[in-house]
Amino acid sequence: MAKSLLALGSRHQRRLYSSTSKLTHHGIHVLQCPDQVGIVARISDCLSGHGANITSTDIFVDMDSRDEPVFNSRCQFSFNPVQWTREEMENSFQEIGKQFVGKSVVNVPGMDRDMKVAVFASLQDHCLVNLLHRWQDGMLPVQIECVISNHVRGEDTHIWRFLKRHGIPYHYLPTTKTNKREDDILELVSGTDFLVLARYMQILSGDFIARYGKDIINIHHGLLPSFKGANPYRQAYEAGVKLIGATTHFVCEELDAGPIIEQMVERVSHRDTLESFAMKSESLERQCLDRAIKYYCEQRILRYGRDKTKTIVFA
Amino acid sequence: MAKSLLALGSRHQRRLYSSTSKLTHHGIHVLQCPDQVGIVARISDCLSGHGANITSTDIFVDMDSRDEPVFNSRCQFSFNPVQWTREEMENSFQEIGKQFVGKSVVNVPGMDRDMKVAVFASLQDHCLVNLLHRWQDGMLPVQIECVISNHVRGEDTHIWRFLKRHGIPYHYLPTTKTNKREDDILELVSGTDFLVLARYMQILSGDFIARYGKDIINIHHGLLPSFKGANPYRQAYEAGVKLIGATTHFVCEELDAGPIIEQMVERVSHRDTLESFAMKSESLERQCLDRAIKYYCEQRILRYGRDKTKTIVFA
Amino acid sequence: MAKSLLALGSRHQRRLYSSTSKLTHHGIHVLQCPDQVGIVARISDCLSGHGANITSTDIFVDMDSRDEPVFNSRCQFSFNPVQWTREEMENSFQEIGKQFVGKSVVNVPGMDRDMKVAVFASLQDHCLVNLLHRWQDGMLPVQIECVISNHVRGEDTHIWRFLKRHGIPYHYLPTTKTNKREDDILELVSGTDFLVLARYMQILSGDFIARYGKDIINIHHGLLPSFKGANPYRQAYEAGVKLIGATTHFVCEELDAGPIIEQMVERVSHRDTLESFAMKSESLERQCLDRAIKYYCEQRILRYGRDKTKTIVFA
Amino acid sequence: MAKSLLALGSRHQRRLYSSTSKLTHHGIHVLQCPDQVGIVARISDCLSGHGANITSTDIFVDMDSRDEPVFNSRCQFSFNPVQWTREEMENSFQEIGKQFVGKSVVNVPGMDRDMKVAVFASLQDHCLVNLLHRWQDGMLPVQIECVISNHVRGEDTHIWRFLKRHGIPYHYLPTTKTNKREDDILELVSGTDFLVLARYMQILSGDFIARYGKDIINIHHGLLPSFKGANPYRQAYEAGVKLIGATTHFVCEELDAGPIIEQMVERVSHRDTLESFAMKSESLERQCLDRAIKYYCEQRILRYGRDKTKTIVFA
């Protein structure tokens, strides 16, 4: 590994390096629309017409939907912002979206602002800690607006110190059976682009999900659709499974039933205890949530299928 | 790899090789009983007293049972049949079983007869074919008594020719909703030691299971306890999972709910179709069933836990 | 799983099903050329201009080559052969190849003939047997011209009977240190599109490789670049590795050094013997070779990088 | 998962919990000696004679050594320290060691002191950080004596603050080509039980290894025996492998050649860059080193084979 790359310990260094090392910029375009002949031609004409160059493309036409095939694409391209300004680019892709009656999104990492996220966690903090460290290492291109928890954390905890050092607020919102503090939460997260539930053990209501209106990513400590709800470790342990797993998914109103983004497993045996199930699972949860957030920020995830209950992951 | 080993193509050659290459024999002893102090001392005294030598031991004391700890062991040992006859050995281990009020089983591969099995399959034959080939290669130390199916197979099929060549009967037992032919089946399998359901799509009744009274191993083409019952491929496909799996388990009265022996998974993506789900799963099913039967014949599997719903696999 | 799909046991049935179930045809186009702006636009214009519809596209621009970026694409599309004849299609894509000074290949499975292959095997036949069974099941879209071996196989062997039934010649070509029978082999394989070495333990000379001039795929029973050459099982065993592996690669003049296509691993422990290393590896070898051939026939593999020593696999 | 278990955030809480929840203690006995009849009987007599109860045993007799079979065992047992004092236990097992002319080690976690370790790291700190966090979470039963590095770390770094908070010294020992500071290091680590090289990029001399005389565990960022020496990421990248890996091993005089303890792999494709190779590998390295240290502290690792170049891992 080149020394210059690996030497970059801090978030700022790594970022700096990325932006100064290239004269051209790299954009990502994602399109989802009803399929028809000529979509790819239209996109690639648009790009080549502005001197942009495709470096990678993924196209998936979903033939399986009840009604009509749906076109999905993710395209990475290099361009010169002098030749094609960010504003013109935005307009070009909005036109394409209109023409094909679909959703057309363009993003230029390093030029556009990072997505804003609020992270939720209850008592367990292995996913939260991992997420913060990954962010500190410059591996997660997000702006963390705040951490929200229904558990108090003292000034002597690693998390409290970490957040203070980085100027990230920690909101302690104790919940009761009748008050989930959803109004308070909504106010706190109103400026975010998406939410991450990093082992948040409170159930967000359908009303909350609808009012928030943007994506919510959850890590479930079981291999969905098995082991929904409470105590998936115990459920798996008592079922005598030989593989345990973790699942990252989008949150929908039905508990633990939203579109699956990523799943990972590890082998267990009769020698494993409930405690070692937890330890092995925690390692899976960290990796599984980490990967899902990274994919999400890189615009790699699209919902598809009937009622959009499945995900395309252009990995 | 030593030429002499890999050169053994046929079942008979490989077997021959195994028995002539050693002057001593190797036995396997398995014990399951309530835990108490001194069990291992008793077993090892017995072995060393007869000049036998332990080559490998696995012990697992289940502390988690509702009532009392249960001792489980599997011990491999080498011995000289002149010094310790098979009959004396049997008596020695029966005594140990009595002393500790448990189940004590001893087996000497190559000296004792192979276990007798009947294999069941419906239309799909990838598991059956794989099992037959593994058996032909000398990898499965069983005696196949017969193949039972609710589907007819013609004389021009690979399976029919294979079975004929090896003198194994193929019983075609067409079933109806009201007649599962369980009496006929029971008669056919009365001499067997265990049954293998290699994608047999008929549900055996609790009555049948009770009357047969011995172990029945099933391969389920889904990752239990998810996707029980019919069409697990379709269930998994519609759930949008990112990992598909196969499960080998003992059959109990409740459908797809018996103790899990082995599980395997493979990654799927949005590009996978129902057909590619099937293809990937079939590969898992072959391996998963193969491994379970091998473990079973090598006396590696014990049932444990409350109501014996889980398995110890001394792999 | 739909009954109609899984019911298809034989090669002919499955094939028949595939061709009658669709009114449109599906083509695959692969392009490799120096990168420039507008390549994708040109391809997609060509397709949409003939009423064809892209169903899936993979593009990878290799920035890492010493000189200039190289464009690589694989595109699947549906088309109506009445509207766009196979001949016109060929011409269209040849023009694209010329325009961009690259290699442009189009293939229409079911309409174009299957690729012709000769399969080589020495004494070990687990890879050969698996390949033949996969082919019989309709899973490998190739025409097997012949099997070539430096080992004799009698009329009572499974392979001999299988080949006879399907009318595939078995050529026994005993080799000596000074005569590898390469002239004989070249004559036998002159009509093939590629060769598969399914555990062929003879080294083909650089001269042979050059004269044959087409792709040769080999399965190596070790995790390259470790354990090149003879006895990789023993090499791995003596190195005390905790993971063993298999590698499929293109053959080049240097032994076991050609571009890697696919690799698979399995866990081993101190309990594994040289014999169990072989058994575990054989399972990997079957799967690893199987996958590589499938990818190859589906035009998913491209060589790239400096001196083309690496592979793109559009999986 | 039981709330009471997972609620334990800190090292001290978790430890406290472990020791107060049980009235009996658990010991581990490991024996390595020339094989003979009666060893297991002797051990189990000793245990049962003192009212101790075996809860788990692993025995492996290595038949493959050049000269004579070697017996290896690891036994976990519960005992009452009132009935059998730690001192008597020590004497009992020393006697067994003498009797069989082997190495007999007994350890009682919670009663005996934790092993003392010094951790070495150069510039990269992902393995060091992970190790410190795992230790803080009470998952690594070691006493960290100090961290040694040839790189300076400022007071504003995470590691510096972490170490200061826990009172662990950080020794900055800049090295030159002619002065590896081995005398200084030896003095600093004289009181330790073993060393961990958590990405320490300096080569320790054979002289140092001999003078230290105890075990040294290293994480190598490549799949040994491939990719020894410098820049394994680049080596793997240029070899075009489809799987990358990490290896934990004991250090011996020959570089990257000591007995392998654990190996892990992850899939890579043509889309991976040198930077993503590093990111994927770093994740493997953390897990692979973590597991090896845990196994080591739990007395699960024994060296065996000719010249002791392989490891038994009683996992």
Side-chain angles (χ1 to χ4, degrees):
Chain A
M1 187 63 201
K3 218 176 195 172
S4 52
L5 267 181
L6 285 183
L8 301 170
S10 89
R11 175 167 173 75
H12 291 285
Q13 276 176 297
R14 196 180 283 258
R15 293 248 125 183
L16 190 68
Y17 172 81
S18 301
S19 56
T20 57
S21 68
K22 54 197 175 194
L23 301 169
T24 56
H25 279 261
H26 289 86
I28 300 165
H29 174 244
V30 174
L31 178 64
Q32 190 171 51
C33 63
D35 191 33
Q36 67 174 76
V37 171
I39 303 174
V40 180
R42 180 70 178 80
I43 297 171
S44 46
D45 282 345
C46 167
L47 287 165
S48 61
H50 292 91
N53 202 9
I54 293 174
T55 52
S56 151
T57 297
D58 269 303
I59 290 167
F60 174 67
V61 180
D62 175 24
M63 306 293 201
D64 201 51
S65 291
R66 194 165 298 168
D67 317 303
E68 300 197 344
V70 176
F71 177 92
N72 303 274
S73 73
R74 180 181 182 277
C75 177
Q76 292 187 190
F77 55 92
S78 56
F79 70 101
N80 182 337
V82 177
Q83 203 177 341
W84 196 16
T85 69
R86 184 64 185 82
E87 202 185 341
E88 287 171 327
M89 180 187 291
E90 193 64 37
N91 293 334
S92 304
F93 284 117
Q94 286 312 321
E95 264 176 46
I96 287 176
K98 273 180 206 158
Q99 178 181 344
F100 295 108
V101 200
K103 195 181 169 192
S104 176
V105 175
V106 67
N107 180 260
V108 185
M111 184 177 271
D112 298 352
R113 71 160 173 78
D114 286 342
M115 281 202 277
K116 294 179 184 175
V117 67
V119 185
F120 292 62
S122 292
L123 186 60
Q124 303 312 317
D125 58 16
H126 56 281
C127 285
L128 174 59
V129 165
N130 185 62
L131 194 156
L132 294 174
H133 288 155
R134 298 287 290 166
W135 172 82
Q136 184 182 34
D137 291 346
M139 297 300 187
L140 288 183
V142 292
Q143 187 175 327
I144 302 177
E145 290 293 285
C146 61
V147 170
I148 292 174
S149 179
N150 58 331
H151 281 263
V152 71
R153 279 183 168 82
E155 298 195 4
D156 63 334
T157 59
H158 175 51
I159 287 175
W160 196 90
R161 279 190 303 262
F162 185 102
L163 296 178
K164 196 185 168 197
R165 204 156 60 233
H166 291 279
I168 300 169
Y170 181 87
H171 300 296
Y172 167 48
L173 294 183
T175 56
T176 63
K177 277 209 171 168
T178 53
N179 185 359
K180 298 293 180 187
R181 310 294 297 268
E182 295 196 341
D183 288 331
D184 299 313
I185 295 174
L186 264 178
E187 205 178 306
L188 289 169
V189 303
S190 63
T192 59
D193 295 301
F194 71 111
L195 307 181
V196 168
L197 310 186
R199 294 293 305 269
Y200 187 62
M201 300 290 97
Q202 299 294 315
I203 298 169
L204 296 172
S205 69
D207 177 63
F208 175 92
I209 297 166
R211 284 161 70 200
Y212 179 64
K214 285 166 270 184
D215 288 326
I216 306 174
I217 294 174
N218 183 47
I219 175 72
H220 181 73
H221 44 312
L223 201 65
L224 295 176
S226 289
F227 312 129
K228 293 183 180 180
N231 269 333
Y233 297 157
R234 180 168 288 282
Q235 287 183 59
Y237 181 73
E238 292 185 349
V241 296
K242 299 299 184 187
L243 294 169
I244 54 162
T247 306
T248 334
H249 64 98
F250 286 121
V251 172
C252 68
E253 185 165 358
E254 190 186 333
L255 182 63
D256 296 330
I260 293 170
I261 297 169
E262 176 62 301
Q263 299 190 293
M264 292 179 176
V265 290
E266 190 170 350
R267 200 159 268 278
V268 286
S269 80
H270 60 274
R271 295 203 187 272
D272 281 284
T273 60
L274 196 45
E275 193 175 13
S276 73
F277 265 55
M279 279 193 286
K280 287 183 172 180
S281 180
E282 287 174 9
S283 172
L284 295 176
E285 293 157 33
R286 277 189 291 260
Q287 294 176 65
C288 198
L289 182 58
D290 191 40
R291 189 175 291 181
I293 299 175
K294 191 166 169 290
Y295 284 164
Y296 186 79
C297 295
E298 292 171 357
Q299 317 275 343
R300 295 184 183 278
I301 307 174
L302 288 168
R303 301 182 189 212
Y304 83 114
R306 291 177 201 168
D307 313 316
K308 305 266 181 189
T309 54
K310 304 207 274 187
T311 65
I312 293 163
V313 180
F314 287 130
Chain B
M1 189 60 201
K3 218 176 196 173
S4 52
L5 268 181
L6 285 182
L8 301 170
S10 88
R11 176 167 174 75
H12 291 286
Q13 276 176 297
R14 195 181 285 258
R15 292 251 124 181
L16 191 67
Y17 172 80
S18 301
S19 55
T20 57
S21 69
K22 54 199 175 193
L23 302 170
T24 56
H25 279 260
H26 288 87
I28 300 165
H29 174 244
V30 174
L31 177 65
Q32 190 171 50
C33 63
D35 192 32
Q36 66 174 78
V37 171
I39 303 173
V40 180
R42 179 70 177 82
I43 298 171
S44 46
D45 282 344
C46 167
L47 287 164
S48 61
H50 292 93
N53 202 9
I54 293 175
T55 53
S56 150
T57 297
D58 269 303
I59 291 167
F60 173 67
V61 179
D62 175 24
M63 305 293 201
D64 200 52
S65 291
R66 194 165 299 169
D67 317 303
E68 300 198 344
V70 177
F71 176 92
N72 303 274
S73 73
R74 180 183 183 275
C75 176
Q76 293 187 189
F77 55 93
S78 56
F79 70 101
N80 183 338
V82 177
Q83 202 177 343
W84 196 16
T85 68
R86 185 63 186 84
E87 204 185 339
E88 288 171 326
M89 180 187 292
E90 192 64 36
N91 294 334
S92 304
F93 285 116
Q94 287 311 323
E95 263 176 50
I96 287 176
K98 272 180 207 157
Q99 178 182 345
F100 295 108
V101 199
K103 196 181 170 193
S104 175
V105 176
V106 67
N107 181 259
V108 185
M111 185 177 270
D112 298 351
R113 71 161 173 77
D114 287 342
M115 281 200 278
K116 294 180 184 176
V117 66
V119 186
F120 292 62
S122 292
L123 187 59
Q124 302 313 317
D125 57 17
H126 56 279
C127 284
L128 174 59
V129 166
N130 185 62
L131 193 156
L132 294 174
H133 288 155
R134 298 286 292 167
W135 172 81
Q136 184 182 35
D137 291 346
M139 297 299 186
L140 289 183
V142 291
Q143 186 176 329
I144 302 176
E145 289 294 285
C146 61
V147 170
I148 293 174
S149 179
N150 58 330
H151 282 263
V152 71
R153 280 183 168 82
E155 298 195 3
D156 62 335
T157 59
H158 175 53
I159 287 174
W160 196 91
R161 278 190 303 260
F162 184 101
L163 296 177
K164 195 183 169 198
R165 204 157 60 232
H166 291 278
I168 300 170
Y170 180 87
H171 301 295
Y172 166 48
L173 293 183
T175 56
T176 62
K177 278 209 170 167
T178 52
N179 185 359
K180 298 294 181 188
R181 311 293 298 268
E182 296 196 339
D183 288 333
D184 299 314
I185 295 174
L186 265 178
E187 204 178 309
L188 289 168
V189 303
S190 63
T192 60
D193 296 301
F194 71 111
L195 306 181
V196 169
L197 310 186
R199 295 292 304 271
Y200 187 62
M201 300 289 97
Q202 300 293 316
I203 298 169
L204 296 172
S205 70
D207 176 63
F208 176 91
I209 297 166
R211 285 161 71 200
Y212 179 62
K214 285 166 270 183
D215 289 326
I216 307 175
I217 294 174
N218 182 46
I219 175 73
H220 182 72
H221 44 313
L223 201 64
L224 293 177
S226 289
F227 312 130
K228 292 183 179 181
N231 271 334
Y233 296 158
R234 179 168 289 282
Q235 288 182 58
Y237 181 73
E238 293 185 348
V241 295
K242 299 299 183 187
L243 294 170
I244 54 164
T247 306
T248 333
H249 64 98
F250 287 119
V251 172
C252 68
E253 184 164 0
E254 190 186 335
L255 183 62
D256 297 331
I260 294 171
I261 299 169
E262 176 62 301
Q263 300 190 292
M264 292 180 177
V265 290
E266 191 171 350
R267 202 159 265 278
V268 287
S269 80
H270 58 276
R271 296 202 187 273
D272 280 284
T273 60
L274 197 45
E275 193 176 11
S276 73
F277 265 55
M279 278 192 287
K280 287 184 173 180
S281 180
E282 287 174 9
S283 172
L284 295 176
E285 294 157 33
R286 277 190 290 259
Q287 293 176 65
C288 199
L289 182 58
D290 191 40
R291 188 174 294 180
I293 298 175
K294 192 166 168 291
Y295 283 164
Y296 186 78
C297 294
E298 293 171 357
Q299 317 275 343
R300 295 184 184 278
I301 307 174
L302 287 169
R303 302 184 190 211
Y304 83 114
R306 291 178 200 167
D307 313 318
K308 305 266 179 187
T309 55
K310 304 209 273 187
T311 65
I312 294 163
V313 180
F314 286 130
Chain C
M1 187 62 200
K3 218 175 196 172
S4 53
L5 267 180
L6 285 182
L8 301 170
S10 89
R11 175 166 172 77
H12 292 285
Q13 276 176 296
R14 196 181 283 258
R15 294 247 122 184
L16 190 68
Y17 172 82
S18 299
S19 56
T20 58
S21 69
K22 53 195 176 196
L23 301 169
T24 57
H25 279 261
H26 289 86
I28 299 165
H29 174 244
V30 173
L31 179 64
Q32 189 171 51
C33 62
D35 192 32
Q36 66 175 78
V37 172
I39 303 172
V40 181
R42 180 69 179 81
I43 298 170
S44 47
D45 282 345
C46 167
L47 287 164
S48 62
H50 293 92
N53 202 9
I54 292 174
T55 53
S56 152
T57 297
D58 269 303
I59 291 167
F60 173 67
V61 179
D62 174 24
M63 306 293 201
D64 201 51
S65 291
R66 193 165 299 171
D67 318 302
E68 300 197 345
V70 176
F71 176 93
N72 303 272
S73 73
R74 181 183 183 275
C75 177
Q76 293 188 189
F77 55 93
S78 57
F79 70 101
N80 183 336
V82 177
Q83 203 178 338
W84 196 17
T85 68
R86 185 64 186 83
E87 203 185 340
E88 287 171 327
M89 180 187 292
E90 192 64 36
N91 293 335
S92 304
F93 284 116
Q94 287 311 321
E95 264 177 48
I96 287 176
K98 273 180 206 158
Q99 178 181 343
F100 295 107
V101 198
K103 196 181 170 192
S104 176
V105 175
V106 67
N107 181 259
V108 185
M111 184 177 270
D112 298 352
R113 71 161 174 76
D114 286 343
M115 281 200 278
K116 294 180 184 174
V117 67
V119 185
F120 292 61
S122 293
L123 186 61
Q124 303 312 317
D125 57 17
H126 55 280
C127 284
L128 173 60
V129 166
N130 184 62
L131 193 157
L132 294 174
H133 287 155
R134 298 286 293 167
W135 171 82
Q136 183 182 37
D137 291 346
M139 297 301 187
L140 288 183
V142 292
Q143 188 177 325
I144 303 176
E145 290 292 285
C146 61
V147 170
I148 293 173
S149 179
N150 58 331
H151 282 263
V152 72
R153 280 183 168 82
E155 299 195 3
D156 63 334
T157 59
H158 176 50
I159 287 174
W160 197 90
R161 280 190 301 264
F162 185 102
L163 296 177
K164 196 185 169 196
R165 205 157 60 233
H166 291 279
I168 300 169
Y170 180 87
H171 301 296
Y172 166 48
L173 294 182
T175 56
T176 63
K177 277 209 171 168
T178 52
N179 185 0
K180 297 294 180 187
R181 310 294 296 269
E182 295 197 340
D183 289 330
D184 300 313
I185 295 175
L186 264 178
E187 204 178 307
L188 289 169
V189 303
S190 63
T192 59
D193 296 300
F194 70 112
L195 307 181
V196 168
L197 310 186
R199 294 294 304 271
Y200 186 63
M201 300 289 96
Q202 299 294 314
I203 298 169
L204 297 172
S205 70
D207 177 64
F208 176 92
I209 297 167
R211 284 161 72 200
Y212 179 63
K214 285 168 270 184
D215 288 327
I216 306 175
I217 294 173
N218 182 46
I219 175 74
H220 181 74
H221 45 310
L223 200 64
L224 294 176
S226 290
F227 312 130
K228 294 183 179 181
N231 270 332
Y233 297 158
R234 179 169 288 282
Q235 287 184 56
Y237 181 73
E238 292 185 349
V241 296
K242 299 300 182 185
L243 294 169
I244 53 162
T247 305
T248 335
H249 64 98
F250 286 120
V251 172
C252 70
E253 185 165 357
E254 190 186 334
L255 182 63
D256 297 329
I260 294 171
I261 299 170
E262 175 64 299
Q263 299 190 293
M264 291 180 178
V265 290
E266 190 171 349
R267 201 159 266 279
V268 286
S269 80
H270 58 276
R271 296 202 186 274
D272 280 284
T273 59
L274 197 46
E275 192 175 14
S276 74
F277 265 55
M279 278 192 287
K280 287 184 173 180
S281 180
E282 287 174 7
S283 173
L284 294 176
E285 293 158 32
R286 277 190 291 260
Q287 294 176 66
C288 198
L289 182 58
D290 190 40
R291 188 174 292 180
I293 299 175
K294 192 167 169 288
Y295 284 164
Y296 186 78
C297 294
E298 293 171 356
Q299 318 275 343
R300 294 183 184 279
I301 307 174
L302 287 169
R303 301 183 190 211
Y304 83 114
R306 291 177 200 168
D307 313 318
K308 304 266 181 189
T309 54
K310 304 208 272 186
T311 65
I312 294 164
V313 180
F314 287 131
Chain D
M1 187 62 201
K3 218 177 196 171
S4 52
L5 267 181
L6 285 183
L8 301 170
S10 87
R11 176 165 172 76
H12 292 286
Q13 276 177 299
R14 195 181 285 258
R15 293 250 124 180
L16 191 68
Y17 172 80
S18 301
S19 56
T20 57
S21 69
K22 54 199 176 193
L23 301 170
T24 56
H25 279 261
H26 289 85
I28 300 165
H29 174 244
V30 174
L31 178 64
Q32 190 171 51
C33 64
D35 191 33
Q36 67 175 78
V37 171
I39 302 172
V40 181
R42 179 70 178 81
I43 298 171
S44 46
D45 282 346
C46 167
L47 287 164
S48 62
H50 293 93
N53 202 9
I54 292 174
T55 53
S56 152
T57 297
D58 269 303
I59 290 167
F60 173 68
V61 180
D62 175 25
M63 306 293 202
D64 202 50
S65 291
R66 194 165 298 169
D67 317 303
E68 299 198 345
V70 176
F71 176 92
N72 303 274
S73 74
R74 180 184 183 274
C75 176
Q76 293 186 190
F77 55 93
S78 56
F79 70 101
N80 184 335
V82 176
Q83 203 176 340
W84 197 16
T85 68
R86 184 65 187 81
E87 203 186 340
E88 287 170 327
M89 180 187 291
E90 193 64 38
N91 293 335
S92 304
F93 284 117
Q94 288 312 322
E95 263 176 50
I96 288 176
K98 274 180 207 158
Q99 178 181 345
F100 295 108
V101 198
K103 196 181 169 193
S104 176
V105 176
V106 67
N107 181 260
V108 184
M111 185 177 271
D112 298 352
R113 72 161 173 76
D114 286 342
M115 280 200 279
K116 294 180 185 176
V117 67
V119 185
F120 291 62
S122 293
L123 186 60
Q124 303 311 318
D125 58 16
H126 56 279
C127 284
L128 173 60
V129 166
N130 185 62
L131 193 156
L132 294 175
H133 287 155
R134 298 286 292 166
W135 171 80
Q136 183 181 36
D137 292 346
M139 297 301 186
L140 289 183
V142 292
Q143 187 177 327
I144 302 176
E145 290 293 286
C146 62
V147 170
I148 293 174
S149 180
N150 57 332
H151 282 262
V152 71
R153 280 182 168 83
E155 298 196 2
D156 63 334
T157 59
H158 176 51
I159 286 173
W160 196 92
R161 279 190 301 263
F162 185 101
L163 297 177
K164 195 184 169 197
R165 204 157 59 232
H166 291 280
I168 300 170
Y170 180 87
H171 300 296
Y172 166 50
L173 294 182
T175 56
T176 63
K177 279 209 170 167
T178 52
N179 186 359
K180 298 294 181 188
R181 310 293 298 269
E182 296 196 338
D183 289 330
D184 300 313
I185 295 174
L186 265 178
E187 203 178 310
L188 290 169
V189 303
S190 63
T192 59
D193 296 301
F194 70 112
L195 307 181
V196 169
L197 310 186
R199 295 294 304 271
Y200 187 63
M201 299 290 97
Q202 299 294 316
I203 298 170
L204 296 172
S205 70
D207 177 63
F208 175 91
I209 297 167
R211 284 161 71 199
Y212 179 62
K214 286 167 267 183
D215 288 326
I216 307 175
I217 295 174
N218 182 48
I219 175 74
H220 181 73
H221 44 312
L223 200 64
L224 295 176
S226 290
F227 312 130
K228 292 183 181 181
N231 271 334
Y233 297 158
R234 179 169 289 282
Q235 288 183 57
Y237 181 72
E238 293 185 349
V241 296
K242 298 300 183 185
L243 294 169
I244 53 163
T247 306
T248 333
H249 63 99
F250 287 119
V251 173
C252 69
E253 183 164 0
E254 190 186 334
L255 182 63
D256 298 330
I260 294 171
I261 299 170
E262 176 63 301
Q263 300 190 292
M264 291 181 177
V265 290
E266 190 170 349
R267 201 160 265 279
V268 286
S269 80
H270 58 276
R271 296 201 187 274
D272 280 284
T273 59
L274 197 46
E275 193 176 12
S276 74
F277 265 56
M279 278 192 287
K280 287 184 172 179
S281 180
E282 286 174 9
S283 173
L284 295 176
E285 292 157 32
R286 277 190 291 260
Q287 293 176 66
C288 199
L289 182 58
D290 191 39
R291 189 174 292 179
I293 298 175
K294 193 167 168 288
Y295 284 164
Y296 186 78
C297 294
E298 293 172 356
Q299 317 276 343
R300 294 183 184 279
I301 308 174
L302 287 169
R303 303 184 188 210
Y304 83 114
R306 290 178 201 166
D307 312 319
K308 305 267 180 187
T309 55
K310 305 208 272 187
T311 65
I312 293 164
V313 181
F314 286 130

